[in-house]
Amino acid sequence: MREPVDLRRRRILAAVQARGTARVRDLAAELQVSVVTVRRDVEELMREGKLRRGHGVVRSTLPAQELPEHATGEGDPVAVVVPERHSYLYEALHGARTVLDAAGLRVALHIAPQVPGAERPQVERALADGARGVLLAPRWRDPAAEEADYRWLAELDVPTVLMERRPPKGSALHAMDSVCSDHWYGAHLAVEHLVGLGHRRLVFATRDDSPTARTLRAAFTEIAGAHPLVEEWTWALSSSRGGLDHEPTDVPDLAALLRKVGATAAVLHGDVDALMLVQQLAEQGVRVPEDCSVVAYDDVVAGLASPPLTAVSPPKGEVGRVAAELMLRRLDGTRGEGTASVQRVELLPTLKVRGSTKPL
């Protein structure tokens, strides 16, 4: 599935704002598109006044008053390791950067490729470069990949905070600082919104390639199964790549599934899959929201759809900010300013009601 242009440009803008400057060639490699494509995107963002070109680099045009006081790239480094092609976590990165810059700490960004075990080499490289701490969001496409990382992460000798990852209780990482959205609550918001509009037959579609996706599947199963007003519901894959670049082969025709269940509403994780469903329904003469209400989960580009999609919006930037604040507390402890207790923080998503849902 090709990434929408608006989403790709938003990711470019977030990456440049997070770093201050970026090379077009590096952006192309991270986004897995051609240099020509990135140049076209940069030209359009420049015309919109969102980027400016320097000597071989692209720079942000954020007004000076919006930039943190210490956004100079000086100071001790804190490594931030996030998966490539993940605009959701790039927003968390930007939130973390505002806190770390204000504290005079330099952000060293490391992008983990879409292969199993990609985070460990990036962390080891960051530590070799002198990183004093690590903010980390491992991809963890399946439970086995997650468990394989527990031991080496638990043995890191610098402060480490997990973002949007919550290891199981009693695991080797139970006592590691973490900040995560409460995705059960996000699923609850979506179901209650649709039931409140009179919908009783629902389809839920999530990916299968992250801890968030697995949490959402379990949450929808629990919430819909126990809800007294939900008459019929089913779960399906919205996409499945398992770390590969090929198109999924085991994803059902969601429009056909809606007809089979007699569903009048659907919740999809994430935005792009929800947008694609709306387009698919339109091609078959099914109107959104008149014939079917649609809720997206992520709210990265949901508001750009036609109609704009109602979406569950995890606090992406706030996850990064809180994670960075936990990092600062931990670093203060290494300077003899008291030992901070370990924290496992959950932040509640919100629901953005737009034009893709209406009463039945």
Side-chain angles (χ1 to χ4, degrees):
M1 186 183 299
R2 180 174 295 178
E3 183 177 54
V5 173
D6 287 335
L7 174 56
R8 188 178 64 243
R9 289 176 180 170
R10 184 167 177 173
R11 291 176 61 197
I12 290 172
L13 189 61
V16 175
Q17 288 178 346
R19 307 174 205 180
T21 63
R23 296 192 305 172
V24 170
R25 187 178 303 277
D26 293 339
L27 292 170
E30 292 166 18
L31 298 174
Q32 293 186 339
V33 296
S34 69
V35 171
V36 173
T37 296
V38 174
R39 283 175 179 162
R40 285 199 297 261
D41 290 339
V42 167
E43 289 292 337
E44 180 59 32
L45 291 168
M46 289 173 60
R47 280 194 289 271
E48 296 174 3
K50 297 177 180 178
L51 293 179
R52 56 190 173 89
R53 183 175 292 154
H55 295 291
V57 297
V58 181
R59 302 180 186 278
S60 172
T61 59
L62 280 178
Q65 63 269 24
E66 294 185 15
L67 291 173
E69 180 181 355
H70 298 287
T72 61
E74 301 297 332
D76 297 321
V78 169
V80 180
V81 182
V82 294
E84 66 174 335
R85 302 181 68 113
H86 205 309
S87 55
Y88 179 113
L89 288 170
Y90 287 170
E91 292 192 34
L93 161 67
H94 188 57
R97 179 179 177 242
T98 60
V99 173
L100 295 173
D101 279 344
L105 296 173
R106 178 168 59 85
V107 173
L109 177 63
H110 295 261
I111 306 295
Q114 297 188 57
V115 295
E119 286 79 16
R120 183 171 184 174
Q122 299 299 324
V123 171
E124 290 175 345
R125 175 186 169 189
L127 296 179
D129 291 341
R132 296 182 53 208
V134 178
L135 298 180
L136 178 68
R139 191 175 294 274
W140 286 346
R141 288 191 178 276
D142 56 60
E146 180 176 341
E147 292 177 11
D149 282 345
Y150 284 177
R151 182 162 187 167
W152 70 266
L153 280 172
E155 293 175 351
L156 291 178
D157 57 0
V158 299
T160 303
V161 181
L162 294 173
M163 298 188 298
E164 284 295 17
R165 300 293 181 256
R166 183 58 51 81
K169 295 177 181 179
S171 69
L173 301 186
H174 191 171
M176 179 175 286
D177 289 317
S178 61
V179 182
C180 188
S181 300
D182 184 345
H183 295 298
W184 186 96
Y185 184 72
H188 166 77
L189 289 176
V191 173
E192 288 298 322
H193 173 65
L194 292 173
V195 169
L197 294 175
H199 298 280
R200 299 292 182 264
R201 305 173 77 85
L202 312 172
V203 166
F204 307 108
T206 70
R207 300 191 299 267
D208 65 345
D209 60 352
S210 73
T212 296
R214 294 187 288 276
T215 298
L216 283 174
R217 177 182 179 178
F220 284 129
T221 299
E222 175 189 342
I223 293 167
H227 203 294
L229 296 180
V230 175
E231 298 173 0
E232 185 74 23
W233 68 275
T234 190
W235 173 87
L237 288 174
S238 58
S239 65
S240 175
R241 285 185 168 78
L244 303 177
D245 291 330
H246 59 71
E247 288 297 317
T249 58
D250 53 352
V251 177
D253 182 334
L254 289 175
L257 185 60
L258 285 164
R259 292 193 298 270
K260 179 179 178 180
V261 177
T264 59
V267 184
L268 279 87
H269 175 225
D271 290 4
V272 172
D273 294 304
L275 266 67
M276 295 299 289
L277 175 64
V278 172
Q279 293 174 196
Q280 182 185 7
L281 292 175
E283 292 168 358
Q284 300 182 22
V286 179
R287 301 168 300 167
V288 173
E290 290 81 4
D291 303 319
C292 180
S293 288
V294 174
V295 177
Y297 197 103
D298 272 357
D299 199 31
V300 177
V301 294
L304 302 178
S306 181
L309 299 183
T310 294
V312 176
S313 182
K316 300 172 280 292
E318 187 67 13
V319 165
R321 286 191 289 273
V322 174
E325 289 167 358
L326 290 182
M327 173 62 66
L328 293 180
R329 292 178 69 247
R330 191 63 59 194
L331 290 174
D332 286 343
T334 66
R335 291 195 290 263
E337 298 181 22
T339 301
S341 58
V342 173
Q343 295 195 41
R344 291 163 61 90
V345 180
E346 282 194 334
L347 304 175
L348 298 187
T350 57
L351 181 73
K352 304 291 181 64
V353 179
R354 301 187 179 103
S356 66
T357 54
K358 66 172 295 187
L360 186 63

